Amino acid sequence: MDLKKLNPFHTSSPKRNSTIFQLVSGTFGPGEAADVLLSLVNYKIKFHSVQLLNLPDNERAAIEQSEQRIAELKIVKQQMTALILDARKNGQHLEINSDLSVTLKP
C-alpha cells in the first residue's frame, strides 16, 4: 500500500525509520479551533485516566507518570482555552499546524 497516495502529507525517512503525518493544517475560527484542539487534549486526558484505572497499585512509578501527564494536559487545556477565548474576543482566527512523527523501534 502506497501511503503517499492515501495521504499527500505523509513523509518518510528510511534512515530514521520514522514517518511524519500532517494531522492539522489550516486557519480556523475560534469555535472550530476549540473543537480541534480541545478534542485532542480531552482525548489524551481520557487516555491517561483509563491507563490509571488499569495499572496495578504496585506500579507506583507508572501511576505517578500518568498523574503528572494528566496535570500537564489540564494546564495545556487551560492555556488553549484562554487563547481561543482571546481570539474570539478580538475577532481573530487561529492558524493550526500539527505533525505527528512515528518512529519504529526494535
Side-chain angles (χ1 to χ4, degrees):
M1 175 184 300
D2 186 359
L3 292 177
K4 288 186 180 184
K5 288 183 181 176
L6 295 175
N7 180 359
F9 302 110
H10 163 271
T11 60
S12 184
S13 172
K15 288 172 70 176
R16 292 186 31 220
N17 209 17
S18 72
T19 305
I20 298 172
F21 299 95
Q22 186 176 41
L23 296 182
V24 183
S25 178
T27 302
F28 301 87
E32 293 172 320
D35 285 343
V36 170
L37 297 173
L38 298 178
S39 292
L40 178 60
V41 173
N42 285 333
Y43 180 81
K44 288 294 295 174
I45 291 170
K46 180 180 174 183
F47 172 82
H48 285 285
S49 297
V50 170
Q51 291 295 322
L52 274 175
L53 294 174
N54 292 323
L55 288 170
D57 288 337
N58 63 350
E59 291 193 35
R60 194 69 212 146
I63 290 170
E64 289 175 5
Q65 186 178 12
S66 282
E67 289 173 340
Q68 176 64 32
R69 188 61 185 138
I70 290 169
E72 292 168 355
L73 289 166
K74 286 181 177 180
I75 292 169
V76 167
K77 183 177 176 180
Q78 291 173 342
Q79 293 170 334
M80 285 182 176
T81 300
L83 181 67
I84 292 164
L85 290 174
D86 191 47
R88 183 172 70 183
K89 180 178 137 189
N90 294 312
Q92 296 174 307
H93 287 74
L94 296 97
E95 183 177 333
I96 304 171
N97 294 292
S98 175
D99 292 340
L100 180 66
S101 174
V102 179
T103 304
L104 299 174
K105 299 281 184 173

